[in-house]
Amino acid sequence: MLESLLAFGGLVLLRDSVEWEGRGLLKALVKKSALSGEQVHVLGCEVSEEEFREGFESVVNSRLIYHDLFKDPLNWSKTGKAYPEGPLGALRAMCRTDSGCVTIAVDSLSWLLLHLPCTELCQTLHVLSSGNSCSGVRPPLRVLGLLHEELHGPGPLGALSSLAQTEMTIDGKMGQASVYILYRRPQQRPVYQSQRFSILPDFSLDLQEGPVGSQQQPSAHIPLVDPTTHLTFNLHLSKKEREAKNNLTLPFQFSSEKQQALLRSGPGQSASRIFYEPDVYDDLDQEDPDDDLDI
C-alpha cells in the first residue's frame, strides 16, 4: 500500500509516461516524508525551485533543502553557486548528512541519465541507498527517483530497476490514475500491488476504493516472458502419448517369461561343453603364474 511505502529505505523508482506524469506523485511522497519529521533533500533538474515548492504548505517548505541544478547546472553564469563536482557531487554530499532519517527526491533521473554515464549514476545511487558510505556507517537513505521510461532504452531501465527496492509504475484508465507497485525485500519473494489514487491540490494523496491486494503474480500491466515459447521439444505428453510410453518395453528390460525362455533349453538342444587344449606357451604353473613374463 502507498501508506506503508515510506516505511523502508532504499531506491524508490517512480516510472511515468507522456500520458501519466509522475511529478505530482513525487511531490505527494515528498510532502508525506516532510510531515513525518524527516529532512528532505530535493535535487531539482527539470523545473525551477519556485515551481517545485508551489502548492506546499509552509511547514513542508521549511523542511525542504533544495539543490538547484535547473538554473545553471554547468555554472555558465560564474556565480559560484554551482556544484564543483556536478550533479553527482551534489548527490554524494547528501550521503554525508548527519541526520538519521533523510529522504532524497531526484527530479529527475532521466535528466541525469541524459547528461551522465549510466554506470556512474548507478554507483552513486547504490551508495546512497545502502547502509555504507565513505564517511562511515549510517542509516540507509530513501531515494525517490522520477524516471521518464519512454526516453531510455532497455539497458538503463534494467540497470536502475535492478537497484530499486520499490518500483512504482503510473498508469490509468478512463481518466483514473493507478499505480502498480513492486516490492523487493531481501530473502523474500517480490510482491505486486495496485492502487487507484488521485492527488489533491495541496499534494495530499486520496486513495480510491478498488482492486488492491498482495499478489504473487504481476498484474497485466507488467508483461511476463513465457520460457517455453520457442522450445524445439514438447514438455508435456498427451493422453495417447502417455499410454504408449507406459506400454513400451525397453530393450534392457526382461520380463519373467523372457528370462525363463532364455534359461530353459529347448527340445533337441544338448548341454554345451567347452574343450580346451593347452598351448605350448600357456603357463600351467599355479605356484608362479607370472613366470612366463620373463622378469
Side-chain angles (χ1 to χ4, degrees), residues 23 43-48 51 66 69-70 107-111 146 148 151:
R23 184 167 288 110
L43 186 66
C45 307
E46 292 187 350
V47 298
S48 63
E51 182 178 350
Y66 200 87
L69 293 176
F70 175 76
D107 184 13
S108 68
L109 290 175
S110 293
W111 189 94
L146 181 61
H148 313 311
L151 299 180

Side-chain angles (χ1 to χ4, degrees), residues 203-232:
F203 294 102
S204 298
L205 281 175
D206 181 18
L207 303 181
Q208 308 292 329
E209 296 289 338
V212 181
S214 176
Q215 307 173 10
Q216 295 301 329
Q217 297 294 333
S219 60
H221 177 80
I222 304 176
L224 282 179
V225 178
D226 186 4
T228 64
T229 302
H230 303 291
L231 292 180
T232 59

Side-chain angles (χ1 to χ4, degrees), residues 92-220:
R92 295 188 186 102
M94 298 177 193
C95 76
R96 294 189 290 267
T97 180
D98 296 332
S99 301
C101 298
V102 177
T103 294
I104 298 176
V106 182
D107 184 13
S108 68
L109 290 175
S110 293
W111 189 94
L112 296 178
L113 279 175
L114 295 176
H115 293 80
L116 300 171
C118 179
T119 54
E120 295 185 12
L121 177 60
C122 290
Q123 290 171 0
T124 304
L125 291 175
H126 175 69
V127 172
L128 285 174
S129 57
S130 63
N132 299 319
S133 68
C134 56
S135 60
V137 180
R138 51 156 178 78
L141 304 180
R142 183 184 305 110
V143 183
L144 306 175
L146 181 61
L147 181 65
H148 313 311
E149 59 180 2
E150 294 172 332
L151 299 180
H152 311 287
L157 291 177
L160 291 174
S161 177
S162 64
L163 290 176
Q165 281 73 37
T166 305
E167 290 188 63
M168 305 176 64
T169 304
I170 305 171
D171 202 348
K173 295 180 180 179
M174 304 298 292
Q176 177 64 56
S178 302
V179 61
Y180 298 90
I181 308 174
L182 167 60
Y183 293 94
R184 297 189 185 96
R185 297 292 174 259
Q187 299 179 352
Q188 295 182 12
R189 297 184 62 182
V191 177
Y192 297 85
Q193 295 178 346
S194 61
Q195 176 69 63
R196 294 189 301 166
F197 71 97
S198 60
I199 300 176
L200 302 180
D202 62 345
F203 294 102
S204 298
L205 281 175
D206 181 18
L207 303 181
Q208 308 292 329
E209 296 289 338
V212 181
S214 176
Q215 307 173 10
Q216 295 301 329
Q217 297 294 333
S219 60

